[in-house]
Amino acid sequence: MPTKKATAPQVVQIHIPKINLRQFDVLVRGKQPLVMHRFGQVATTAIASKQAKEAKQAKAARDPEAEYLDAMYVMPGSKAGAKNAKYGVPGGWFKRAAVDACSHVDGITKVFARGAFHVLTEDGKNSTGGLIPLKFSDVRMRQDYVKIGMGSTDLRYRPEFSDWSCKVRIEYNASTISAEQIVNLLNIAGFCSGLGEMRPSQKCSDSYGTFEVHTTKAA
């Protein structure tokens, strides 16, 4: 009986392109006002106290002005409410909005987008936890009724920024995605995702925080 000849193992060629990091800036302009609600110190202290099983203290009278100021993202060295205060937007908001927008684009996954580009802050670092300076024409305190728990209603005091804009720096791998594709994705994100509270992608959605890219410039 003839013996079966052993076949040589098949060699699979894998091509891994060299990473090609580039940067560019985009000017983002808000189409609708931006509403913020930072998880402030008051809420943080309350959670820490509960987890430490400390005795409950009687609730102090609400201070709308303090809640409003505590809901702002303030640039380092500034004080919320001060005459020359400088405010910011978490850089991660833009990345998350763009990643969410992948649900509205064929051929690109959220997993791919997360690794294809990053948003940088002023110091050139990844946007995680960092702020991007915010320009605006006016900010006001808004009072909103919100549903909490089983049919309960509460009040929220939050800042609303009008005519806002940001300069956003993008770092990307040009071997996998182009600057033009990122700009297109950001514009889709500005339309269908938005930033901040009451944005289109939230469960209780509205059109606040929508934006569009106006100009781009290589960094």
Side-chain angles (χ1 to χ4, degrees):
M1 186 173 179
T3 58
K4 194 174 182 180
K5 290 184 178 181
T7 56
Q10 186 178 3
V11 178
V12 179
Q13 297 292 333
I14 300 176
H15 174 65
I16 301 177
K18 183 179 179 180
I19 193 168
N20 182 10
L21 296 181
R22 299 182 185 180
Q23 295 183 6
F24 68 96
D25 296 328
V26 295
L27 177 63
V28 172
R29 290 193 181 278
K31 298 172 68 176
Q32 295 293 334
L34 176 64
V35 180
M36 290 184 182
H37 192 187
R38 185 179 73 93
F39 200 81
Q41 188 58 46
V42 174
T44 301
T45 301
I47 290 176
S49 177
K50 183 177 180 180
Q51 291 180 342
K53 300 187 183 301
E54 296 177 357
K56 288 186 177 181
Q57 303 293 324
K59 286 187 177 181
R62 293 189 70 172
D63 185 343
E65 180 71 14
E67 292 182 29
Y68 157 69
L69 295 175
D70 202 36
M72 294 178 168
Y73 289 91
V74 186
M75 297 298 294
S78 285
K79 182 180 179 181
K83 184 177 180 180
N84 297 320
K86 295 181 179 179
Y87 303 102
V89 172
W93 281 8
F94 291 97
K95 176 71 175 284
R96 286 194 292 271
V99 169
D100 286 344
C102 292
S103 298
H104 302 269
V105 181
D106 289 333
I108 184 172
T109 66
K110 292 182 179 182
V111 173
F112 172 82
R114 289 189 190 104
F117 70 94
H118 301 293
V119 176
L120 305 180
T121 50
E122 277 193 317
D123 55 7
K125 296 180 180 179
N126 195 295
S127 62
T128 304
L131 298 177
I132 294 174
L134 176 69
K135 293 184 178 181
F136 57 94
S137 64
D138 185 51
V139 58
R140 72 178 184 92
M141 180 174 72
R142 56 180 296 136
Q143 174 183 287
D144 296 299
Y145 295 92
V146 296
K147 295 290 184 180
I148 57 172
M150 298 295 292
S152 299
T153 303
D154 196 10
L155 291 173
R156 291 287 183 270
Y157 301 97
R158 299 174 287 194
E160 178 186 296
F161 294 87
S162 301
D163 300 321
W164 61 275
S165 65
C166 291
K167 186 179 79 171
V168 182
R169 175 156 294 185
I170 307 291
E171 183 175 53
Y172 67 105
N173 181 7
S175 295
T176 60
I177 195 170
S178 69
E180 182 182 7
Q181 288 173 317
I182 296 172
V183 170
N184 291 341
L185 189 59
L186 283 172
N187 272 317
I188 294 170
F191 177 78
C192 66
S193 298
L195 306 177
E197 299 295 299
M198 297 184 290
R199 61 187 184 274
S201 60
Q202 274 190 324
K203 183 180 291 186
C204 300
S205 64
D206 210 316
S207 59
Y208 288 93
T210 53
F211 61 88
E212 59 188 0
V213 177
H214 267 238
T215 60
T216 62
K217 181 182 179 182

